[in-house]
Amino acid sequence: KRLVNQLREDREERLQWEREEEIRKRKEKEARIRKEFERRMNPRTKADFDLLYSALEKWRQEQFEEINSTKTGATRKAALCWLLDQETQLLAAIGRHKLEATKQNDAQREEEFMEQAAAPKRWRTFDGKVTAMETPWTQRAA
């Protein structure tokens, strides 16, 4: 009887753990998708822009193959012109995002530098305490 109860408890614990694990994986996947969406909508880093450029190139290749397989003659030429126009507009939009991200990153980098320059000098003493000292230069920077 004890063995059966122990097995039942172990099974319940395992099932509970599996449910929690499934919930955790679902939340992680949702967070990953949200982060990916945020990276595409508000790119900040070179990796974000590389992601956008690769997505644009993939889209362009798909459209190009679609046009070549379904259209001929003047309609094909018109569709290729449309594709070129769309690609140009999307590249311009990515360029605008890149300029904005560069401005924001530069401002953030400058702010961090100013905070670091205005911070008091700190060092650890022989007894393990941290000593902070304001110098005339850090006072001026603040």
Side-chain angles (χ1 to χ4, degrees):
K1 189 149 178 134
R2 265 190 213 154
L3 177 64
V4 173
N5 285 338
Q6 181 63 37
L7 289 173
R8 188 175 294 131
E9 288 174 12
D10 289 346
R11 185 175 136 256
E12 288 300 320
E13 287 177 13
R14 185 178 50 81
L15 291 175
Q16 178 65 24
W17 178 82
E18 287 176 358
R19 284 191 294 267
E20 290 171 359
E21 193 68 18
E22 184 179 327
I23 291 169
R24 185 187 61 80
K25 285 182 181 180
R26 191 177 317 122
K27 286 181 180 179
E28 284 179 1
K29 184 176 181 182
E30 289 172 0
R32 194 171 41 248
I33 289 171
R34 249 185 273 114
K35 185 178 179 184
E36 185 76 20
F37 181 76
E38 182 64 27
R39 284 180 66 193
R40 286 176 184 253
M41 295 307 292
N42 298 311
R44 297 268 182 259
T45 64
K46 184 179 182 333
D48 294 347
F49 285 103
D50 289 344
L51 180 73
L52 280 178
Y53 285 125
S54 66
L56 175 63
E57 181 60 24
K58 182 179 176 187
W59 172 82
R60 188 191 69 77
Q61 287 289 341
E62 290 172 357
Q63 293 296 316
F64 186 75
E65 290 172 8
E66 175 78 19
I67 289 168
N68 281 339
S69 66
T70 59
K71 299 185 186 328
T72 58
T75 57
R76 179 180 173 273
K77 205 173 248 187
L80 288 174
C81 287
W82 172 84
L83 178 62
L84 180 63
D85 185 47
Q86 288 295 309
E87 183 181 9
T88 305
Q89 288 178 8
L90 291 171
L91 283 170
I94 291 172
R96 286 191 300 274
H97 277 293
K98 203 171 200 175
L99 286 173
E100 185 63 32
T102 301
K103 285 180 188 175
Q104 288 178 354
N105 289 341
D106 288 347
Q108 181 181 359
R109 205 172 299 116
E110 185 178 331
E111 181 70 27
E112 288 170 358
F113 174 75
M114 295 303 275
E115 288 293 324
Q116 183 182 1
K121 303 294 181 199
R122 297 181 190 275
W123 66 89
R124 194 171 294 277
T125 60
F126 68 92
D127 59 352
K129 294 180 181 175
V130 176
T131 302
M133 182 176 75
E134 296 263 343
T135 64
W137 293 281
T138 59
Q139 289 174 350
R140 223 175 296 146

